[in-house]
Amino acid sequence: MVDILAENLSGKAVMSADGTELGDLYNITMDLKSGELTDLLVSPHEHLSPERSGFDIDEMGRLKVPVGNVQAVKDYIVVAR
């Protein structure tokens, strides 16, 4: 697996595997005890209804996409719903 620096991911577009653009990566959360990454926080695009995205939403209206849903990181971060 190729190492990717977090600074290179900031602001990267996030897309579902079906081609729906979800938004832009805001941040990544982690479990402080284990050091394991937990969720991608995604600022949703204006045309997307966060409630209908299939993901949990944080108190700021950002999508909480589990790290385990990430399928690819290239031009977009591709995630399974």
Side-chain angles (χ1 to χ4, degrees):
M1 181 174 192
V2 177
D3 290 337
I4 299 173
L5 296 175
E7 67 185 42
N8 295 336
L9 295 176
S10 181
K12 189 173 275 290
V14 180
M15 176 186 290
S16 69
D18 67 5
T20 303
E21 290 191 28
L22 300 174
D24 299 315
L25 182 64
Y26 175 76
N27 210 344
I28 302 172
T29 62
M30 67 182 280
D31 180 305
L32 293 176
K33 289 185 181 188
S34 68
E36 194 171 341
L37 300 178
T38 53
D39 295 307
L40 304 181
L41 296 180
V42 179
S43 298
H45 283 192
E46 290 179 13
H47 69 276
L48 180 77
S49 172
E51 296 80 20
R52 300 185 75 199
S53 69
F55 297 110
D56 290 338
I57 302 166
D58 73 3
E59 62 280 351
M60 299 299 290
R62 294 180 292 246
L63 307 176
K64 293 174 65 176
V65 179
V67 168
N69 288 37
V70 174
Q71 295 182 333
V73 179
K74 300 247 185 213
D75 294 332
Y76 287 89
I77 299 172
V78 180
V79 298
R81 285 209 223 193

XYZ file of all heavy atoms in Angstrom:
613
model
N 0.841 -1.175 0.000
C 0.000 0.000 0.000
C 0.888 1.240 0.000
O 1.879 1.322 0.702
C -0.909 -0.023 1.235
C -1.839 1.146 1.306
S -2.963 0.919 2.695
C -4.114 2.180 2.314
N 0.499 2.232 -0.766
C 1.253 3.465 -0.880
C 0.918 4.386 0.285
O -0.239 4.545 0.652
C 0.913 4.174 -2.217
C 1.623 5.500 -2.325
C 1.248 3.280 -3.386
N 1.938 4.996 0.897
C 1.709 5.962 1.964
C 1.246 7.280 1.367
O 1.768 7.728 0.342
C 2.991 6.215 2.761
C 3.394 5.015 3.602
O 2.519 4.190 3.916
O 4.585 4.922 3.951
N 0.238 7.886 1.995
C -0.281 9.176 1.546
C -0.274 10.103 2.749
O -0.823 9.777 3.802
C -1.709 9.044 0.985
C -1.723 8.108 -0.217
C -2.271 10.412 0.613
C -3.098 7.779 -0.732
N 0.347 11.261 2.610
C 0.384 12.220 3.703
C -0.975 12.880 3.864
O -1.635 13.227 2.874
C 1.442 13.291 3.442
C 2.883 12.807 3.376
C 3.814 13.959 2.997
C 3.307 12.205 4.704
N -1.397 13.075 5.114
C -2.692 13.689 5.395
C -2.800 15.076 4.770
O -3.865 15.458 4.291
C -2.928 13.758 6.899
N -1.694 15.819 4.731
C -1.751 17.164 4.159
C -2.111 17.127 2.674
O -2.652 18.084 2.137
C -0.447 17.919 4.376
C 0.729 17.348 3.607
C 2.044 18.040 3.922
O 2.308 18.326 5.097
O 2.798 18.284 2.972
N -1.835 16.008 1.993
C -2.189 15.870 0.582
C -3.664 15.520 0.385
O -4.167 15.574 -0.732
C -1.328 14.813 -0.092
C 0.131 15.201 -0.138
O 0.469 16.372 -0.088
N 0.994 14.220 -0.207
N -4.350 15.134 1.465
C -5.761 14.770 1.375
C -6.693 15.935 1.681
O -7.837 15.945 1.246
C -6.065 13.615 2.341
C -5.392 12.290 2.045
C -5.720 11.289 3.134
C -5.807 11.766 0.686
N -6.225 16.907 2.420
C -7.063 18.023 2.844
C -7.701 18.711 1.642
O -7.027 19.092 0.690
C -6.230 19.021 3.642
O -7.034 20.089 4.080
N -9.034 18.825 1.687
C -9.766 19.482 0.606
C -10.029 18.614 -0.605
O -10.678 19.046 -1.553
N -9.544 17.373 -0.595
C -9.744 16.471 -1.741
C -11.224 16.116 -1.864
O -11.921 15.929 -0.880
C -8.905 15.204 -1.571
C -8.890 14.325 -2.823
C -7.924 13.169 -2.686
C -6.518 13.519 -3.047
N -6.263 13.768 -4.449
N -11.708 16.033 -3.086
C -13.105 15.688 -3.348
C -13.374 14.238 -2.956
O -12.529 13.359 -3.146
C -13.431 15.916 -4.813
N -14.562 14.009 -2.397
C -14.989 12.672 -1.986
C -16.187 12.276 -2.839
O -17.138 13.044 -2.989
C -15.358 12.648 -0.487
C -15.809 11.247 -0.063
C -14.178 13.106 0.366
N -16.122 11.060 -3.399
C -17.162 10.567 -4.294
C -17.573 9.170 -3.858
O -16.726 8.377 -3.436
C -16.604 10.515 -5.720
C -17.536 9.940 -6.758
S -16.728 9.752 -8.362
C -16.555 11.443 -8.854
N -18.868 8.877 -3.965
C -19.312 7.514 -3.664
C -18.968 6.614 -4.852
O -18.720 7.093 -5.959
C -20.810 7.485 -3.379
O -21.537 7.756 -4.546
N -18.965 5.320 -4.614
C -18.606 4.361 -5.653
C -19.573 4.397 -6.840
O -19.213 4.008 -7.948
C -18.549 2.952 -5.071
N -20.790 4.934 -6.619
C -21.752 5.042 -7.721
C -21.589 6.332 -8.522
O -22.368 6.630 -9.419
C -23.188 4.896 -7.224
C -23.645 6.040 -6.327
O -22.904 7.028 -6.142
O -24.770 5.942 -5.794
N -20.565 7.138 -8.194
C -20.264 8.347 -8.951
C -20.863 9.630 -8.403
O -20.671 10.695 -8.969
N -21.583 9.556 -7.275
C -22.167 10.749 -6.670
C -21.091 11.535 -5.935
O -20.408 10.978 -5.071
C -23.282 10.370 -5.665
O -24.266 9.594 -6.334
C -23.913 11.602 -5.055
N -20.933 12.803 -6.269
C -19.978 13.650 -5.551
C -20.596 14.025 -4.208
O -21.668 14.615 -4.153
C -19.638 14.887 -6.364
C -18.797 14.555 -7.579
C -18.235 15.786 -8.257
O -18.017 16.810 -7.580
O -18.017 15.707 -9.472
N -19.908 13.654 -3.131
C -20.428 13.889 -1.787
C -19.995 15.235 -1.226
O -20.758 15.900 -0.537
C -19.987 12.764 -0.850
C -20.448 11.363 -1.240
C -19.828 10.326 -0.319
C -21.963 11.281 -1.230
N -18.764 15.615 -1.465
C -18.250 16.866 -0.926
C -16.739 16.851 -0.901
O -16.099 16.127 -1.653
N -16.174 17.645 0.018
C -14.724 17.760 0.140
C -14.281 17.327 1.535
O -14.955 17.631 2.522
C -14.285 19.204 -0.109
C -14.651 19.676 -1.506
O -14.421 18.910 -2.453
O -15.178 20.795 -1.644
N -13.140 16.644 1.583
C -12.619 16.191 2.870
C -12.275 17.387 3.751
O -11.530 18.278 3.344
C -11.367 15.327 2.667
C -10.758 14.756 3.945
C -11.720 13.791 4.619
C -9.444 14.085 3.652
N -12.824 17.402 4.955
C -12.554 18.459 5.919
C -11.464 18.009 6.896
O -10.532 18.744 7.173
C -13.833 18.818 6.682
C -13.616 19.815 7.781
C -13.432 21.159 7.488
C -13.564 19.420 9.112
C -13.206 22.083 8.493
C -13.345 20.334 10.119
C -13.169 21.664 9.807
O -12.933 22.570 10.811
N -11.601 16.780 7.404
C -10.664 16.286 8.403
C -10.809 14.773 8.526
O -11.724 14.184 7.964
C -10.931 16.952 9.761
C -9.683 17.089 10.603
O -8.670 16.443 10.342
N -9.744 17.938 11.615
N -9.902 14.170 9.289
C -9.942 12.733 9.578
C -9.882 12.580 11.082
O -9.049 13.215 11.741
C -8.762 11.992 8.914
C -8.773 12.214 7.408
C -8.818 10.497 9.236
C -7.540 11.686 6.686
N -10.770 11.747 11.647
C -10.752 11.518 13.089
C -10.049 10.197 13.398
O -9.964 9.315 12.541
C -12.170 11.497 13.678
O -12.904 10.413 13.103
C -12.899 12.812 13.425
N -9.544 10.105 14.631
C -8.868 8.879 15.035
C -9.149 8.568 16.488
O -9.516 9.447 17.271
C -7.360 8.988 14.809
C -6.653 9.989 15.682
S -4.893 10.133 15.347
C -4.258 8.739 16.218
N -8.982 7.300 16.840
C -9.096 6.841 18.221
C -7.757 7.128 18.890
O -6.722 6.600 18.463
C -9.409 5.344 18.235
C -9.555 4.782 19.632
O -8.620 4.943 20.454
O -10.606 4.173 19.901
N -7.757 7.967 19.920
C -6.501 8.369 20.549
C -5.799 7.227 21.281
O -4.580 7.232 21.397
C -6.748 9.531 21.514
C -7.169 10.845 20.851
C -7.475 11.902 21.897
C -6.095 11.329 19.901
N -6.547 6.249 21.762
C -5.917 5.129 22.478
C -5.208 4.166 21.533
O -4.093 3.743 21.788
C -6.957 4.384 23.313
C -7.419 5.172 24.504
C -8.342 4.372 25.379
C -8.778 5.254 26.541
N -9.522 4.508 27.526
N -5.873 3.823 20.418
C -5.297 2.831 19.508
C -4.512 3.467 18.360
O -3.713 2.809 17.720
C -6.407 1.958 18.917
O -7.221 2.722 18.038
N -4.782 4.755 18.084
C -4.140 5.420 16.952
C -4.797 5.085 15.628
O -4.353 5.511 14.572
N -5.898 4.330 15.685
C -6.594 3.908 14.480
C -7.465 5.052 13.934
O -8.154 5.738 14.680
C -7.479 2.707 14.816
C -7.996 1.982 13.634
C -8.681 0.675 14.040
O -8.448 0.186 15.157
O -9.445 0.174 13.220
N -7.403 5.247 12.619
C -8.263 6.241 11.981
C -9.697 5.737 12.029
O -9.951 4.545 11.848
C -7.843 6.471 10.535
C -6.416 6.983 10.328
C -6.112 7.120 8.849
C -6.198 8.296 11.049
N -10.660 6.661 12.295
C -12.051 6.221 12.429
C -12.959 6.748 11.321
O -13.629 5.965 10.663
C -12.631 6.619 13.800
O -12.435 8.006 14.012
C -11.966 5.847 14.924
N -13.006 8.062 11.123
C -13.949 8.637 10.164
C -13.301 9.723 9.317
O -12.412 10.433 9.786
C -15.144 9.288 10.879
C -16.003 8.301 11.621
O -16.429 7.309 11.005
O -16.258 8.519 12.823
N -13.799 9.865 8.090
C -13.514 11.037 7.272
C -14.646 12.014 7.544
O -15.816 11.628 7.510
C -13.526 10.699 5.782
C -12.616 9.599 5.268
C -12.781 9.471 3.761
C -11.182 9.860 5.632
N -14.326 13.258 7.847
C -15.345 14.294 7.970
C -15.391 15.021 6.639
O -14.393 15.574 6.195
C -15.009 15.262 9.100
C -14.993 14.654 10.505
C -14.641 15.729 11.523
C -16.326 14.019 10.838
N -16.550 14.979 6.010
C -16.715 15.514 4.662
C -17.700 16.676 4.684
O -18.834 16.525 5.149
C -17.225 14.410 3.701
C -17.438 14.957 2.297
C -16.259 13.233 3.685
N -17.257 17.831 4.189
C -18.158 18.976 4.023
C -18.995 18.698 2.776
O -18.454 18.642 1.670
C -17.366 20.270 3.830
O -16.577 20.529 4.969
N -20.314 18.489 2.955
C -21.129 18.088 1.807
C -21.305 19.209 0.786
O -21.320 20.384 1.147
C -22.472 17.713 2.438
C -22.519 18.451 3.716
C -21.100 18.600 4.179
N -21.424 18.814 -0.475
C -21.728 19.776 -1.537
C -23.132 20.320 -1.306
O -23.980 19.641 -0.734
C -21.641 19.108 -2.901
C -20.234 18.906 -3.352
N -19.919 18.552 -4.628
C -19.043 19.006 -2.708
C -18.605 18.441 -4.759
N -18.062 18.703 -3.604
N -23.388 21.525 -1.786
C -24.676 22.181 -1.586
C -25.836 21.393 -2.176
O -26.937 21.400 -1.629
C -24.650 23.579 -2.186
C -23.760 24.532 -1.426
C -23.728 25.914 -2.051
O -24.569 26.213 -2.929
O -22.865 26.702 -1.652
N -25.610 20.693 -3.287
C -26.690 19.949 -3.943
C -27.028 18.643 -3.234
O -28.020 18.002 -3.549
C -26.341 19.671 -5.413
C -25.227 18.689 -5.585
N -23.902 19.056 -5.535
C -25.243 17.351 -5.792
C -23.146 17.986 -5.711
N -23.937 16.938 -5.864
N -26.202 18.240 -2.254
C -26.403 16.969 -1.565
C -27.145 17.193 -0.254
O -26.774 18.062 0.536
C -25.040 16.316 -1.273
C -25.102 14.974 -0.561
C -25.500 13.883 -1.539
C -23.761 14.651 0.062
N -28.175 16.418 -0.021
C -28.884 16.462 1.258
C -28.157 15.525 2.219
O -28.204 14.302 2.045
C -30.330 16.003 1.072
O -30.959 15.861 2.322
N -27.454 16.069 3.237
C -26.683 15.220 4.144
C -27.514 14.110 4.787
O -27.026 13.005 4.990
C -26.160 16.194 5.199
C -26.172 17.518 4.538
C -27.334 17.483 3.578
N -28.770 14.399 5.086
C -29.633 13.406 5.726
C -29.914 12.206 4.820
O -30.202 11.120 5.293
C -30.972 14.049 6.131
C -30.849 15.137 7.172
C -30.419 16.485 6.599
O -30.565 16.713 5.363
O -29.899 17.299 7.369
N -29.820 12.397 3.514
C -30.113 11.318 2.569
C -28.842 10.664 2.025
O -28.905 9.842 1.125
C -30.960 11.862 1.426
C -32.280 12.443 1.946
C -33.185 12.879 0.857
N -33.753 11.666 0.272
C -34.310 11.613 -0.919
N -34.387 12.680 -1.666
N -34.796 10.490 -1.388
N -27.693 11.026 2.593
C -26.418 10.512 2.079
C -26.147 9.069 2.485
O -25.347 8.394 1.865
C -25.264 11.384 2.580
O -25.095 11.221 3.978
N -26.785 8.617 3.565
C -26.523 7.274 4.068
C -25.445 7.231 5.138
O -25.102 6.169 5.632
N -24.886 8.396 5.502
C -23.849 8.472 6.523
C -24.344 9.267 7.726
O -25.257 10.095 7.602
C -22.581 9.146 5.972
C -21.937 8.385 4.858
C -21.965 8.855 3.555
C -21.307 7.170 5.098
C -21.375 8.157 2.519
C -20.708 6.456 4.073
C -20.751 6.950 2.776
N -23.739 9.022 8.881
C -24.024 9.840 10.053
C -23.548 11.257 9.795
O -22.689 11.491 8.933
C -23.308 9.293 11.300
C -23.899 7.967 11.777
O -25.068 7.676 11.453
O -23.182 7.226 12.473
N -24.089 12.202 10.557
C -23.746 13.611 10.396
C -23.280 14.141 11.747
O -23.880 13.830 12.781
C -24.980 14.406 9.920
C -25.497 13.812 8.611
C -24.659 15.882 9.760
C -26.880 14.286 8.243
N -22.201 14.945 11.754
C -21.734 15.528 13.008
C -22.535 16.793 13.323
O -23.420 17.194 12.556
C -20.216 15.770 13.005
C -19.768 16.939 12.145
O -20.607 17.644 11.551
O -18.536 17.162 12.074
N -22.223 17.434 14.450
C -22.961 18.618 14.905
C -22.799 19.823 13.972
O -23.578 20.772 14.024
C -22.559 19.004 16.335
C -21.111 19.386 16.517
C -20.146 18.210 16.624
O -20.597 17.049 16.731
O -18.925 18.458 16.583
N -21.813 19.797 13.085
C -21.585 20.898 12.137
C -22.177 20.592 10.747
O -21.973 21.355 9.816
C -20.081 21.184 12.009
C -19.416 21.600 13.306
S -20.089 23.116 14.002
C -19.500 24.293 12.830
N -22.881 19.461 10.625
C -23.503 19.107 9.351
C -22.587 18.391 8.379
O -22.935 18.199 7.215
N -21.406 17.970 8.851
C -20.468 17.234 7.988
C -20.788 15.745 8.033
O -21.233 15.219 9.053
C -19.038 17.482 8.435
C -18.594 18.930 8.240
C -17.181 19.134 8.703
N -17.086 18.994 10.135
C -16.765 19.991 10.972
N -16.514 21.192 10.505
N -16.701 19.766 12.258
N -20.546 15.074 6.913
C -20.748 13.627 6.831
C -19.630 12.915 7.567
O -18.465 13.298 7.459
C -20.751 13.175 5.369
C -21.696 13.893 4.413
C -21.491 13.369 3.000
C -23.124 13.739 4.850
N -19.982 11.866 8.306
C -18.994 11.032 8.996
C -18.901 9.712 8.233
O -19.723 8.826 8.403
C -19.413 10.801 10.444
C -19.374 12.054 11.286
C -19.923 11.824 12.676
C -19.057 10.849 13.441
N -19.518 10.661 14.837
N -17.892 9.619 7.383
C -17.706 8.434 6.539
C -16.680 7.525 7.211
O -15.525 7.919 7.396
C -17.213 8.836 5.127
C -16.996 7.605 4.267
C -18.183 9.814 4.470
N -17.082 6.304 7.600
C -16.126 5.394 8.228
C -14.922 5.126 7.316
O -15.083 4.936 6.102
C -16.933 4.113 8.448
C -18.363 4.567 8.455
C -18.417 5.722 7.504
N -13.737 5.135 7.895
C -12.511 4.905 7.127
C -12.567 3.567 6.382
O -12.055 3.455 5.275
C -11.274 4.999 8.057
C -10.027 4.491 7.374
C -11.083 6.428 8.518
N -13.234 2.596 6.959
C -13.363 1.293 6.314
C -14.123 1.333 4.995
O -14.055 0.391 4.211
N -14.843 2.412 4.732
C -15.596 2.552 3.482
C -14.747 3.088 2.336
O -15.195 3.124 1.199
C -16.795 3.488 3.676
C -17.898 2.871 4.499
O -17.640 2.140 5.437
N -19.124 3.173 4.165
N -13.527 3.520 2.627
C -12.661 4.067 1.580
C -12.220 2.938 0.647
O -11.696 1.923 1.086
C -11.427 4.782 2.182
C -10.461 5.221 1.086
C -11.862 5.974 3.029
N -12.461 3.143 -0.643
C -12.099 2.137 -1.638
C -10.868 2.531 -2.446
O -10.120 1.667 -2.884
C -13.273 1.889 -2.591
C -14.466 1.280 -1.899
C -15.604 0.998 -2.862
O -15.741 1.645 -3.893
N -16.426 0.027 -2.510
N -10.675 3.830 -2.668
C -9.536 4.286 -3.469
C -9.245 5.747 -3.152
O -10.130 6.498 -2.763
C -9.828 4.127 -4.960
N -7.971 6.110 -3.324
C -7.552 7.503 -3.176
C -6.682 7.836 -4.380
O -5.557 7.362 -4.490
C -6.767 7.737 -1.867
C -6.325 9.185 -1.767
C -7.598 7.339 -0.652
N -7.251 8.592 -5.288
C -6.522 9.046 -6.482
C -6.877 10.505 -6.666
O -6.592 11.322 -5.811
C -6.919 8.210 -7.705
C -6.619 6.729 -7.537
C -5.562 6.283 -8.464
C -5.414 4.777 -8.310
N -4.134 4.309 -8.496
N -7.528 10.841 -7.790
C -8.001 12.204 -7.996
C -9.120 12.527 -7.015
O -9.310 13.661 -6.612
C -8.499 12.410 -9.425
C -7.378 12.291 -10.446
O -6.219 12.580 -10.065
O -7.634 11.916 -11.593
N -9.919 11.511 -6.682
C -10.991 11.593 -5.691
C -10.714 10.568 -4.599
O -9.995 9.600 -4.818
C -12.344 11.196 -6.314
C -12.935 12.204 -7.256
C -12.625 12.185 -8.607
C -13.836 13.157 -6.788
C -13.196 13.096 -9.484
C -14.417 14.068 -7.654
C -14.093 14.043 -8.999
O -14.657 14.949 -9.846
N -11.344 10.771 -3.448
C -11.414 9.716 -2.447
C -12.734 8.987 -2.746
O -13.797 9.608 -2.673
C -11.415 10.274 -1.018
C -10.130 11.051 -0.745
C -11.602 9.141 0.000
C -10.125 11.812 0.578
N -12.665 7.738 -3.120
C -13.863 6.967 -3.474
C -14.278 6.123 -2.274
O -13.453 5.402 -1.709
C -13.603 6.080 -4.706
C -14.853 5.270 -5.063
C -13.146 6.915 -5.894
N -15.566 6.236 -1.897
C -16.070 5.524 -0.725
C -17.319 4.726 -1.077
O -18.079 5.092 -1.968
C -16.385 6.494 0.443
C -15.144 7.222 0.891
C -17.488 7.486 0.078
N -17.508 3.615 -0.382
C -18.734 2.815 -0.510
C -19.780 3.409 0.425
O -19.450 3.915 1.488
C -18.448 1.374 -0.131
N -21.034 3.336 0.004
C -22.121 3.824 0.870
C -22.658 2.712 1.702
O -22.767 1.634 1.432
C -23.254 4.416 0.036
C -22.892 5.763 -0.494
C -24.116 6.565 -0.657
N -24.085 7.293 -1.914
C -24.917 8.260 -2.195
N -25.850 8.578 -1.371
N -24.847 8.898 -3.315
